[in-house]
């Protein structure tokens, strides 16, 4: 092989030039023989805020043609890829060193890394880069390093949680913040912190909050915490977050949202008892709920609030026909055999009698007129507890003397109610049913119960609180032996006629013991007799009671609900109400109790619901004021008293009832403390059940006087009347208007009025068995005795009868026109005499003063005085001189006629005579007759002005 150094020097110069060119071309072709070389893979890092990429390994291209110029030099790097924000720059051509840098600002949050290929190329054959060779493609991975430019941000604006007091929680709630930085270092939250000081809570690095101590609802209902977050670059959150942690009382299953005290205002109708109640089940899986609401009214009256009319009146109100004998009536003048019995008025004038095992009452003969051969009925209210093993007799009819035979009796023995009924001897000597037994829990439960016994021999049926019971067992016995011994009816024991003492005493309370002819089988009537006027009520709207069982006992004191839907159950409970239909209910406490039973999926009681204990406070009703008014003093002629019609005692009687209410002032009373509440009287309507007319003074003499009334009209109204020497008692529940009509019918008759000059009576009415009593209305009637009705007939028209009301309130003009009046009438009332004298003296003093002041005008003043005299309703010209009623009519008759004739003549002769002149003329006439009437003069009605000077 020819080497250039050996061949070329042998050539000549010409050939030398040609050879030189030839050798140079061959050499050039042989210089750029190799491709540049680079690494196959590069890894680079660039920071967001920088453009230089740090590569590993460094970017260096090698060329084996080095150190030849151009061929051994690296002229550049070429990047392959789309949208690559980088370029490569040669730093040193000879060494092949280069760098990669970003062409624009990088954002790690948009793209964290880039991958592309790169090639290096040499300078080729010469400066123009011809025949440049490229290296293989190397892969470049560049990662964009993050800058902590973003702060943590919480995912929620605020956080809420509820915890139960008394528990320690490992995790109450979790707060979470995020960071927009791309790197784990700056995008991760490394720390959470509670900024609020002195709170019993802590938070961990993951954002979980827990309590550091047991929380107490009584101490704090809710905690408010401020929480912040830090990323791993220790950058704090831009905004802190608020965390609210509510403390819930320890979940106790039970009824919530009810009031212990519930006030009931009388007359307001139905009152919802639990409008906001709901059942807290503490998230237990409930399948069914049962609740029983009980209204306890045992301490009110006979077990609850009922009308406290007499039992006889209640029977009539409930539709029971008349003919009922009341064996335990309230003590009165006509029924006094219960006076000695201890009573428990039941807080509302409800007549309840107590028997302690030593008391009993004998019923007077004639009270019970029931024919025992016909069907009859016994009814009674009874409260009886567990007693002794001895018989305790409620009612017993036995021999009055000689023997101890019991004809019929009702008694208690070992919690059994037993009715003994022995047949009459006329029934024959065959066995007959005699004792009827009922084993009842009600007999010994210390509660009030209503018993109705229907006897239609041989069948006897018992109703207890409206529920019928058949007797078992029934024992038989022979009829009684014939005898003529009278019987004695006793309540509270049994009379032993052979030993003449009481036995088998009753221990308990009785009320309303009645016997009447005929059975009482009408269920409505029986229910009416015992049904309470107060109780629980449930009015359910459509859809609420769907799928629920509702049960109410007959007395409406117990209400039971059962259902499986908690929401519907709560709404049904919210509709339970209390109702008292009495116009004047008994005030006081009625206790309420709710007992509940809850079942879960396992069909067992999973949670225990505590009972609810509250009470209804029935407020005091506005008490009515019953007022009796009318004419309380009048006179009638003796002939009217002696007539068959008699004299009406209460012709214009008015009965009204009012209540006083407080009316709040208009506007805001707090602004003006001087504004006070005003009292307003309002008239109301209600019933009356008793009116009693009592004689004041001597008792009625049945041989010559009586109080009478049209019994037909009384019976039409269903009102009864009983009379005695002390007066008359009208009983029966009816309106005030009906009682007015009945009292207008009461007339007083006296068929021997010679020695009678006045009679006084007192009227008192009451409602609800004496709970509300009227005022005492007193009436005084005077008897006008007349002389010979034939003489002096020409003076009848000008001599009116004198009628004067005691209190100047009512004037009775109806009694002025008597059938046969006499001009010389006698009104013997002391009050009347005194009033006449006082009025006459007053008129005289007025006239005397006028005479002294205006003596010059005496005649004119006399006319004026006459006018004044007429204004005062005193007609001296028609004055009647009365005689003391203690004087005999025979001693005064002649002198009285002479005095009146002279008086009448004076009035006819001088029409304009003055009062003073009239008095003087009367005085002169009286002096002329002084010798004849010296004994009687002190008690005559006359004007003695002889000691006065004009």
């Amino acid at each position: 092989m020819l080497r250039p150094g050996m061949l070329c020097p042998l050539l000549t110069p010409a050939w030398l030039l040609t050879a030189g060119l030839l050798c140079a071309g061959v050499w050039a072709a042989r210089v750029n023989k190799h491709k540049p070389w680079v690494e196959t893979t590069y890894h680079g890092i660039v920071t967001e805020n920088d453009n230089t990429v740090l590569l590993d390994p460094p970017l260096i291209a090698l060329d084996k043609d080095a150190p030849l110029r151009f061929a051994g030099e690296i002229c550049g790097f070429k990047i392959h890829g789309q949208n690559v924000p980088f370029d490569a720059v040669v730093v040193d051509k000879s060494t092949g060193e280069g760098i990669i840098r970003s062409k624009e600002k990088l954002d790690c949050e948009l793209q964290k890394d880039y991958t592309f290929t790169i090639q290096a190329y040499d300078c080729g054959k010469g400066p123009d880069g011809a025949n440049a060779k490229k290296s293989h493609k190397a892969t470049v991975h560049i990662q964009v390093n993050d800058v902590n430019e973003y702060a943590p941000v919480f995912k929620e604006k605020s956080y809420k949680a509820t915890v139960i007091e008394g528990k320690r929680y490992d995790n109450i709630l979790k707060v979470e913040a995020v960071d927009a930085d791309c790197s784990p270092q700056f995008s991760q939250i490394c720390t959470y912190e509670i900024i609020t000081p002195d709170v019993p809570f802590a938070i961990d690095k993951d954002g979980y909050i827990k309590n550091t101590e047991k929380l107490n609802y009584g101490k704090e209902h809710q905690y408010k915490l401020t929480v912040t977050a830090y990323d791993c670059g220790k950058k704090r959150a831009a905004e802190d977050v608020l965390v609210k942690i509510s403390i819930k009382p320890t979940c106790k299953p039970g009824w919530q949202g009810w009031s212990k005290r519930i006030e009931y205002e009388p007359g307001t109708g139905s009152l919802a008892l639990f409008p906001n109640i709901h059942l807290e089940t503490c998230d237990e899986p409930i399948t069914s709920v049962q609740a029983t609401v009980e209204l306890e009214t045992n301490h009110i009256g006979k077990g609850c609030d009922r009308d406290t009319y007499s039992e006889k009146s209640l029977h009539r109100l409930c539709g029971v026909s008349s003919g009922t004998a009341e064996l335990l009536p309230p003590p009165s003048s006509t029924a006094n055999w219960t006076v000695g019995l201890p009573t428990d008025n039941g807080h509302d004038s409800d007549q309840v009698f107590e028997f302690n095992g030593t008391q009993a009452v004998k019923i007077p003969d004639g009270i019970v007129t029931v024919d025992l051969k016909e069907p009859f009925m016994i009814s009674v209210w009874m409260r009886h507890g567990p007693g002794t093993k001895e018989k305790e007799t409620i009612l017993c009819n036995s021999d009055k003397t000689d023997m101890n035979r019991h004809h019929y009796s009702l008694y208690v023995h070992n919690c059994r109610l037993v009715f003994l009924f022995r047949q009459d001897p006329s029934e024959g000597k065959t066995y007959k049913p005699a004792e009827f037994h009922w084993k009842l829990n009600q007999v010994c439960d210390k509660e009030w119960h209503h018993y109705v016994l229907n006897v239609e021999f041989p069948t006897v049926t018992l109703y207890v609180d409206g529920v019928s019971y058949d007797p078992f067992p029934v024992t038989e016995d022979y009829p009684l032996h014939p005898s003529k011994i009278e019987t004695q009816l006793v309540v509270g024991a049994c009379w032993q006629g052979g030993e003449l003492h009481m036995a088998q005493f009753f221990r308990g309370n009785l009320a309303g013991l009645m016997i009447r002819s005929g059975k009482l089988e009408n269920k409505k009537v029986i229910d009416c007799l015992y049904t309470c006027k107060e109780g629980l009520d449930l009015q359910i709207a459509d859809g609420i009671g769907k799928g629920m069982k509702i049960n109410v006992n007959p007395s409406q004191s117990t209400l039971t609900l059962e259902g499986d839907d908690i929401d519907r159950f709560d709404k049904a409970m919210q509709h339970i109400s209390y109702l008292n239909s009495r116009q004047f209910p008994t005030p006081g406490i009625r206790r309420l109790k709710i007992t509940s039973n809850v079942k879960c999926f396992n069909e067992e009681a999973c949670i225990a619901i505590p009972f609810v204990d509250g009470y209804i406070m029935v407020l005091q009703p506005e008490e009515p004021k019953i007022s009796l008014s009318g004419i309380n003093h009048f006179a009638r002629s003796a002939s009217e008293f002696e007539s068959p019609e008699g004299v009406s005692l209460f012709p214009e009687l008015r009965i009204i009832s009012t209540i006083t209410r407080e009316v709040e002032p208009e506007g805001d009373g707090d602004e003006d403390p001087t504004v006070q509440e005003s009292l307003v009287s309002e008239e109301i309507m209600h019933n009356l059940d008793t009116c009693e007319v009592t004689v004041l003074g001597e008792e009625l003499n049945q041989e010559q006087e009586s109080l009478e009334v049209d019994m037909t009209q009384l019976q039409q109204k269903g009102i009864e009347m009983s009379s005695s020497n002390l007066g008359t008692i009208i009983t029966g529940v009816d309106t005030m208007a009906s009682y007015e009509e009945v009292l207008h019918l009461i007339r007083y008759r006296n068929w021997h009025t010679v020695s009678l000059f006045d009679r006084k009576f007192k009227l008192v009415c009451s409602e609800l068995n004496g709970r509300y009593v009227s005022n005492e209305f007193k009436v005084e009637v005077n008897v006008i005795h007349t002389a010979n009705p034939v003489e002096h007939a020409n003076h009848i028209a000008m001599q009116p009868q004198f009628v004067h009301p005691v209190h100047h309130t009512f004037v009775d003009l109806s009694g002025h026109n008597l059938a046969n009046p006499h001009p010389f009438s006698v009104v013997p009332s002391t009050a009347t005499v005194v009033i006449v004298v006082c009025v006459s003296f007053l008129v005289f003093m007025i006239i005397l003063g006028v005479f002294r002041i205006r003596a010059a005008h005496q005649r004119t003043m006399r006319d004026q005085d006459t006018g004044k005299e007429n204004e005062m309703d005193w007609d001296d010209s028609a004055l009647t001189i009365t005689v003391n009623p203690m004087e005999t009519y025979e001693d005064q008759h002649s002198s009285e006629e002479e005095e009146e004739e002279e008086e009448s003549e004076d009035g006819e002769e001088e029409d304009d005579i003055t009062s003073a002149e009239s008095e003087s003329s009367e005085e002169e006439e009286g002096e002329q007759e002084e010798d004849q009437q010296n004994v009687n003069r002190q008690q005559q009605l006359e004007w003695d002005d002889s000691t006065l000077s004009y």
Side-chain angles (χ1 to χ4, degrees):
M1 181 175 182
L2 180 65
R3 293 182 296 176
M6 296 176 62
L7 180 60
C8 289
L10 297 178
L11 297 178
T12 62
W15 285 100
L16 183 59
L17 177 60
T18 304
L21 293 173
L22 233 129
C23 289
V26 174
W27 181 253
R30 292 175 63 91
V31 165
N32 198 7
K33 180 179 178 180
H34 299 94
K35 297 178 181 178
W37 176 87
V38 293
E39 298 285 345
T40 57
T41 304
Y42 292 91
H43 293 277
I45 297 175
V46 63
T47 305
E48 282 182 314
N49 57 0
D50 196 3
N51 63 350
T52 301
V53 179
L54 299 178
L55 288 176
D56 182 27
L59 182 59
I60 298 176
L62 300 176
D63 196 328
K64 291 183 178 181
D65 292 326
L68 295 177
R69 190 180 180 192
F70 301 115
E73 295 177 340
I74 302 300
C75 280
F77 295 93
K78 186 176 182 180
I79 294 176
H80 300 277
Q82 293 182 350
N83 302 323
V84 178
F86 298 94
D87 58 7
V89 179
V90 177
V91 177
D92 190 345
K93 291 182 178 182
S94 61
T95 60
E97 181 181 356
I99 61 172
I100 298 176
R101 60 187 179 185
S102 61
K103 295 187 293 184
E104 58 190 33
K105 186 177 181 180
L106 300 177
D107 190 347
C108 177
E109 287 73 34
L110 295 178
Q111 188 167 344
K112 294 182 179 180
D113 52 44
Y114 295 88
T115 300
F116 53 89
T117 58
I118 189 171
Q119 278 181 314
Y121 58 92
D122 57 19
C123 295
K125 296 184 292 184
D128 57 357
N131 298 319
K133 292 190 180 223
K134 298 179 182 178
S135 68
H136 64 270
K137 293 181 179 179
T139 303
V140 180
H141 299 282
I142 298 177
Q143 178 180 341
V144 181
N145 275 358
D146 188 22
V147 175
N148 196 5
E149 57 185 330
Y150 294 100
V153 176
F154 286 95
K155 286 186 175 182
E156 304 289 340
K157 292 183 178 181
S158 64
Y159 293 87
K160 295 180 181 179
T162 301
V163 297
I164 299 175
E165 65 174 346
K167 293 180 66 176
R168 293 285 294 268
Y169 290 85
D170 294 331
N171 176 15
I172 295 177
L173 79 160
K174 179 183 180 181
V175 298
E176 187 175 0
V178 295
D179 196 312
D181 290 313
C182 66
S183 65
Q185 179 183 2
F186 299 134
S187 64
Q188 290 182 357
I189 308 301
C190 285
T191 306
Y192 290 94
E193 182 181 350
I194 297 176
I195 306 301
T196 307
D198 302 327
V199 290
F201 297 94
I203 189 169
D204 61 14
K205 64 182 182 65
D206 295 321
Y208 290 103
I209 297 177
K210 65 179 181 179
N211 56 316
T212 57
E213 62 184 46
K214 291 182 179 180
L215 304 177
N216 189 339
Y217 177 81
K219 182 179 180 181
E220 195 73 40
H221 291 2
Q222 186 184 70
Y223 288 91
K224 295 181 179 180
L225 313 178
T226 301
V227 177
T228 191
Y230 296 89
D231 62 18
C232 294
K234 296 186 178 180
K235 192 162 190 173
R236 182 173 172 175
E239 292 184 5
D240 300 332
V241 72
L242 178 64
V243 179
K244 296 180 180 179
I245 300 178
S246 299
I247 312 304
K248 186 178 181 181
T250 304
C251 185
K252 298 176 180 178
W255 293 104
Q256 297 182 1
W258 56 275
S259 300
K260 187 175 183 64
R261 174 188 171 99
I262 305 167
E263 291 189 353
Y264 180 80
E265 184 176 352
T268 56
S270 182
L271 173 67
L273 297 177
F274 320 108
N276 301 312
I277 198 169
H278 66 277
L279 181 62
E280 175 60 61
T281 60
C282 296
D283 299 327
E284 290 286 344
I286 303 301
T287 59
S288 67
V289 182
Q290 183 184 44
T292 300
V293 183
E294 297 176 80
L295 178 69
E296 298 180 4
T297 59
N298 298 336
H299 60 292
I300 304 294
K302 297 189 289 289
C304 67
D305 211 1
R306 296 181 174 90
D307 284 328
T308 55
Y309 296 120
S310 68
E311 198 69 21
K312 203 169 187 177
S313 297
L314 289 175
H315 274 65
R316 189 180 300 112
L317 286 175
C318 292
V320 182
S321 59
S322 58
T324 303
E326 192 170 10
L327 303 186
L328 289 176
S332 64
S333 58
T334 57
N336 58 2
W337 61 86
T338 58
V339 172
L341 284 177
T343 60
D344 173 13
N345 288 332
H347 310 285
D348 190 18
S349 302
D350 194 5
Q351 201 70 51
V352 173
F353 295 95
E354 181 180 357
F355 294 83
N356 60 9
T358 61
Q359 300 126 323
V361 291
K362 292 183 179 180
I363 307 301
D365 296 337
I367 297 298
V368 178
T369 58
V370 175
D371 185 359
L372 299 182
K373 294 183 180 180
E374 299 294 332
F376 65 96
M377 178 270 294
I378 300 175
S379 67
V380 65
W381 283 95
M382 181 177 72
R383 178 170 62 186
H384 182 265
T388 63
K389 295 182 179 181
E390 299 177 356
K391 293 182 179 180
E392 299 180 45
T393 302
I394 301 169
L395 175 69
C396 179
N397 187 38
S398 58
D399 289 333
K400 185 175 290 188
T401 58
D402 299 337
M403 291 187 287
N404 297 331
R405 298 180 304 171
H406 297 178
H407 294 253
Y408 66 88
S409 67
L410 182 65
Y411 63 90
V412 175
H413 187 212
N414 289 334
C415 292
R416 294 177 182 269
L417 187 67
V418 183
F419 178 62
L420 170 68
F421 188 46
R422 301 292 298 277
Q423 291 297 297
D424 189 82
S426 60
E427 297 296 327
K429 294 183 178 181
T430 58
Y431 276 107
K432 299 284 186 179
E435 276 192 341
F436 304 83
H437 297 248
W438 292 270
K439 178 67 174 178
L440 300 170
N441 294 329
Q442 293 93 323
V443 173
C444 295
D445 64 0
K446 293 185 179 180
E447 302 292 343
W448 280 106
H449 297 285
H450 184 251
Y451 300 84
V452 174
L453 197 67
N454 276 327
V455 180
E456 188 179 17
F457 194 80
T459 302
V460 179
T461 305
L462 175 67
Y463 291 87
V464 182
D465 296 334
V467 180
S468 63
Y469 296 89
D470 292 326
F472 182 80
V474 176
T475 59
E476 296 181 343
D477 202 348
Y478 281 113
L480 295 173
H481 299 292
S483 70
K484 296 183 179 180
I485 302 175
E486 295 182 354
T487 59
Q488 176 64 60
L489 185 60
V490 176
V491 175
C494 201
W495 176 254
Q496 303 293 91
E499 303 164 2
L500 300 179
H501 69 81
M502 296 286 186
Q504 301 175 7
F505 286 95
F506 179 76
R507 294 173 179 83
N509 297 94
L510 298 176
L513 180 56
M514 315 278 287
I515 297 182
R516 63 175 290 274
S517 299
K519 294 191 300 181
L520 185 60
E521 292 181 337
N522 191 324
K523 186 68 166 56
K524 291 184 178 180
V525 175
I526 295 176
D527 290 344
C528 174
L529 290 174
Y530 85 91
T531 299
C532 297
K533 294 293 184 179
E534 64 178 341
L536 300 174
D537 190 24
L538 178 58
Q539 299 293 335
I540 297 183
D542 294 340
I544 295 179
K546 185 178 180 181
M548 295 186 62
K549 296 180 181 179
I550 303 172
N551 184 36
V552 183
N553 69 334
S555 63
Q556 292 185 293
S557 62
T558 303
L559 189 150
T560 302
L561 298 176
E562 186 174 354
D564 53 9
D565 189 311
I566 300 297
D567 292 336
R568 288 181 179 176
F569 201 93
D570 288 344
K571 290 180 180 179
M573 290 290 292
Q574 293 168 8
H575 282 77
I576 296 177
S577 60
Y578 169 78
L579 177 63
N580 195 316
S581 59
R582 292 192 65 190
Q583 187 175 11
F584 306 109
T586 304
I589 290 176
R590 277 77 163 163
R591 298 204 172 277
L592 274 174
K593 188 176 181 180
I594 303 178
T595 54
S596 308
N597 183 27
V598 177
K599 290 185 179 181
C600 294
F601 284 105
N602 56 6
E603 296 296 329
E604 296 180 0
C606 50
I607 56 176
I609 305 297
F611 67 85
V612 171
D613 189 8
Y615 63 92
I616 302 172
M617 174 58 74
V618 178
L619 302 179
Q620 179 73 39
E622 301 287 348
E623 294 196 4
K625 180 181 179 182
I626 306 173
S627 301
L628 309 179
S629 61
I631 300 174
N632 55 7
H633 189 190
F634 58 89
R636 296 289 184 271
S637 66
S639 60
E640 289 192 43
F641 288 96
E642 295 175 355
S643 67
E645 293 80 13
V647 174
S648 176
L649 287 182
F650 314 105
E652 297 183 15
L653 179 71
R654 281 277 292 132
I655 305 176
I656 63 172
S657 182
T658 58
I659 58 174
T660 302
R661 298 184 184 274
E662 291 185 355
V663 179
E664 296 182 357
E666 296 182 358
D668 191 356
D670 297 337
E671 297 178 359
D672 188 1
T674 61
V675 177
Q676 298 181 352
E677 294 182 346
S678 58
L679 299 178
V680 176
S681 183
E682 177 182 336
E683 185 173 347
I684 63 170
M685 301 299 296
H686 58 79
N687 293 332
L688 297 176
D689 59 359
T690 303
C691 280
E692 184 172 2
V693 181
T694 308
V695 180
L696 299 178
E698 296 181 359
E699 297 182 2
L700 289 175
N701 185 349
Q702 301 290 346
E703 296 181 357
Q704 65 180 32
E705 58 183 341
S706 65
L707 290 173
E708 299 179 355
V709 69
D710 187 351
M711 296 302 298
T712 303
Q713 297 193 36
L714 254 65
Q715 292 174 357
Q716 292 177 353
K717 294 180 177 293
I719 294 178
E720 297 183 356
M721 186 184 79
S722 58
S723 300
S724 67
N725 294 341
L726 301 177
T728 296
I729 299 178
I730 301 173
T731 58
V733 181
D734 213 331
T735 63
M736 293 185 292
S738 293
Y739 264 87
E740 280 186 6
E741 295 177 9
V742 170
L743 291 171
H744 289 167
L745 300 175
I746 295 181
R747 296 180 174 273
Y748 170 66
R749 284 190 62 204
N750 191 312
W751 46 92
H752 188 69
T753 59
V754 175
S755 59
L756 179 67
F757 300 101
D758 61 10
R759 240 340 184 169
K760 297 179 180 179
F761 300 90
K762 179 181 70 175
L763 172 65
V764 176
C765 294
S766 64
E767 161 70 336
L768 293 173
N769 208 18
R771 180 178 176 186
Y772 302 116
V773 183
S774 72
N775 61 308
E776 293 185 354
F777 179 67
K778 297 180 179 179
V779 173
E780 179 179 347
V781 293
N782 298 131
V783 182
I784 302 176
H785 293 279
T786 59
N788 189 347
V790 179
E791 299 179 5
H792 310 293
N794 60 323
H795 298 298
I796 291 177
M798 56 186 299
Q799 300 293 335
Q801 295 297 326
F802 177 75
V803 179
H804 180 68
V806 175
H807 299 291
H808 304 276
T809 304
F810 303 96
V811 178
D812 180 24
L813 301 178
S814 61
H816 288 191
N817 300 322
L818 302 179
N820 295 307
H822 191 276
F824 195 83
S825 301
V826 179
V827 183
S829 173
T830 305
T832 304
V833 175
V834 172
I835 291 173
V836 171
V837 172
C838 292
V839 173
S840 302
F841 181 75
L842 177 62
V843 173
F844 169 73
M845 292 302 294
I846 293 173
I847 297 174
L848 180 60
V850 173
F851 279 168
R852 284 187 166 183
I853 296 172
R854 304 185 64 183
H857 304 282
Q858 182 175 0
R859 185 67 181 178
T860 304
M861 295 307 299
R862 288 177 180 176
D863 296 337
Q864 295 177 356
D865 292 336
T866 303
K868 292 180 181 179
E869 185 179 319
N870 293 334
E871 292 175 0
M872 296 180 65
D873 256 348
W874 189 266
D875 188 0
D876 290 333
S877 63
L879 180 66
T880 300
I881 305 300
T882 60
V883 179
N884 190 303
M886 299 302 296
E887 298 174 354
T888 61
Y889 173 77
E890 290 80 11
D891 294 341
Q892 304 177 37
H893 184 59
S894 58
S895 61
E896 290 170 350
E897 290 182 344
E898 293 174 0
E899 284 182 54
E900 185 168 357
E901 288 175 359
E902 292 174 0
E903 243 181 326
S904 300
E905 291 172 0
D906 290 342
E908 294 172 358
E909 292 173 359
E910 189 174 355
D911 294 337
D912 60 348
I913 187 170
T914 65
S915 298
E917 291 171 340
S918 176
E919 292 165 10
S920 299
S921 63
E922 290 175 13
E923 179 190 358
E924 292 172 0
E925 293 171 1
E927 290 175 353
Q928 293 175 3
E929 299 173 358
E930 185 175 1
D931 295 337
Q932 299 178 5
Q933 300 180 359
N934 189 45
V935 177
N936 301 328
R937 181 180 179 186
Q938 295 179 359
Q939 299 186 23
Q940 289 182 1
L941 179 60
E942 61 182 11
W943 296 344
D944 187 4
D945 53 6
S946 60
T947 59
L948 301 176
S949 59
Y950 292 89

